Amino acid sequence: MEQKIEYNQKFIWLVSLTAALGGFLFGYDWVVIGGAKPFYEPFFNITSPTDQGWGTSSALVGCMLGAILCIILSDRLGRKRLLIFSGFLFSLSAIGTALSDTFWGFNFYRIAGGVAMGIALNLSPLYIAEIAPPEKRGMFVTINQLLIMIGVLLAQLVNWQISLLDTMMPDEASFEQIAASWNGNYGWRWMFGVEVIPAMLFFTLMFFVPESARWLVKNNEESKARKILQRIGGEFYENLAVAEIKTTIRKEDLAKVNFKELLNKRVVKFLAIGIFLSFLQQWSGVNVIIYYAADIFQAAGYTLKQMMLNIVVIGSVMVLSVFITIFTVDKFGRKKLLLIGTSAMTFLYLLIGYSFYVDQGGWVVVFLVLANVMFYSFTLAPLLWVVLSEIFPTRIRGAAMSIAALAHWVGNFTLTYSFPTIKENLGWANNFWLYGIICAVGFVVLYLVLPETKGKSLEQIERELG
């Protein structure tokens, strides 16, 4: 009779939530720029589309650097040390950005925060996937996405509430009026600065969590790994997990990262899937809605204060949507949810584009945008990281996932930096129709090539995928 494993749920939850604080900080840092944008741009006198794009996207350059660091170091130094480093950089960025008096300094500290974002978004879900039990891994990795969305919502709430402190600024303030206002001089600084509190908490708590047991086995520290695995699920689970990990790691590869394996035909196949999914998540267009929500709602006829409230509603929808993923990802599987998301977003983008084409603003645009954000938030947003944390071999999982994460940031940067220029040339309607076409292509490709991984151990997935 198969022995039942009794997992230490309290320990798994505490460790997973601590690691997921990296996701929370990513969510805050990712979105705070959107609400601060209407205020720091007048302060720095930013008027050209190029400078607007750079101010919004400079952190994404840091994200790419963070992903590259993970490619080089995550399989050498482990997950824990790099996550501690990201906590330090989050803290530095929050303080530095808030105190910046030049556009150069502002972007320097945004890039530093971006490095932290790149590390956290890459390694937090990977770490959780390597700690969580196989049958609950999808849910636990999705907890990281939930904290990302809570970070998103908190950033939007903070932005909104800070903007309301300036009671002297008119509802439809001009660029010059904003530049001279309290929000234009100080409000946006507080929007960035409050992040230092959760950043320092994450930095401190990461010293108290264990290293990934799979990484420890891979690096000849089996005794440490056994203690962690025993604490997770007892002696039987410890022996079972160590045996499974060893079957997927060749002895000669235990203490080194074999980058040549990244060129193996089977690995290249799944790298291609990971890179495609990373670009799809970004070029599906939702980040434009998040970063440039103020511009979208302004084009739909809303005032500045109404825009700030609408942005908060977007964040609320993103948080609530993740609960759908938590309760369905290990039941329906990854592939089915991704197909639902890409097909629904294709249809919604067609409608959003049509609304702008016929100049139908107001609540119709808000409703369609919220519906689109909902489908994105319980499909493409969390499931990218679930899939990436599952499909790569143990020996090079950190490096392979980091390459896919780098593709994610390249996609994010190119989308965000180019949007002001693309929008100027294509207009709102054509821009949203373009995202609809991208989602349609994504549906077809995922239907044809994406494997299903629900309910399987990482080692079982590796064997089945070759």
Side-chain angles (χ1 to χ4, degrees), residues 279-290 296 345 349 372 376 415 431-432 435 438-439:
F279 271 101
L280 175 63
Q281 192 213 53
Q282 294 306 303
W283 279 92
S284 65
V286 172
N287 280 345
V288 159
I289 292 173
I290 293 169
I296 293 170
M345 290 171 69
Y349 275 129
N372 192 61
Y376 171 84
L415 173 76
N431 189 71
F432 285 116
Y435 299 143
I438 291 170
C439 289

Side-chain angles (χ1 to χ4, degrees), residues 1-190:
M1 188 174 73
E2 187 176 339
Q3 184 170 339
K4 185 178 180 181
I5 300 170
E6 295 291 336
Y7 293 109
N8 185 344
Q9 297 288 347
K10 182 179 178 181
F11 176 70
I12 297 169
W13 272 100
L14 286 174
V15 170
S16 297
L17 286 173
T18 299
L21 276 175
F24 171 86
L25 289 164
F26 163 78
Y28 189 98
D29 219 330
W30 175 38
V31 167
V32 67
I33 192 78
K37 183 177 179 290
F39 307 115
Y40 75 74
E41 286 187 347
F43 178 83
F44 292 119
N45 194 30
I46 300 170
T47 56
S48 73
T50 301
D51 286 342
Q52 289 172 350
W54 175 235
T56 308
S57 63
S58 59
L60 304 179
V61 174
C63 292
M64 287 185 264
L65 294 175
I68 292 170
L69 272 180
C70 291
I71 293 172
I72 299 170
L73 298 177
S74 65
D75 284 315
R76 295 183 181 180
L77 300 182
R79 305 5 173 169
K80 178 176 175 175
R81 293 172 189 169
L82 287 176
L83 285 172
I84 290 172
F85 180 56
S86 74
F88 167 76
L89 287 179
F90 275 125
S91 304
L92 175 68
S93 173
I95 296 170
T97 307
L99 297 178
S100 296
D101 282 323
T102 66
F103 192 46
W104 182 92
F106 174 87
N107 286 302
F108 174 82
Y109 286 108
R110 286 293 295 158
I111 290 171
V115 175
M117 291 164 67
I119 293 172
L121 190 62
N122 185 6
L123 294 188
S124 287
L126 176 60
Y127 176 86
I128 295 169
E130 294 184 336
I131 287 288
E135 60 270 25
K136 295 291 184 182
R137 188 176 55 249
M139 182 190 74
F140 275 104
V141 175
T142 304
I143 292 298
N144 183 69
Q145 184 66 28
L146 175 61
L147 262 71
I148 289 175
M149 296 310 182
I150 292 174
V152 166
L153 178 59
L154 182 65
Q156 292 163 335
L157 284 169
V158 167
N159 287 346
W160 177 43
Q161 289 300 307
I162 289 176
S163 71
L164 293 179
L165 294 176
D166 191 350
T167 57
M168 303 299 292
M169 190 180 70
D171 285 353
E172 299 186 25
S174 66
F175 192 84
E176 292 75 18
Q177 287 175 316
I178 295 173
S181 69
W182 181 85
N183 271 335
N185 284 277
Y186 303 105
W188 64 268
R189 298 180 185 277
W190 285 100

Side-chain angles (χ1 to χ4, degrees), residues 146 149 315-325 378:
L146 175 61
M149 296 310 182
S316 303
V317 169
M318 294 178 82
V319 170
L320 294 174
S321 300
V322 178
F323 285 100
I324 300 175
T325 316
F378 81 84

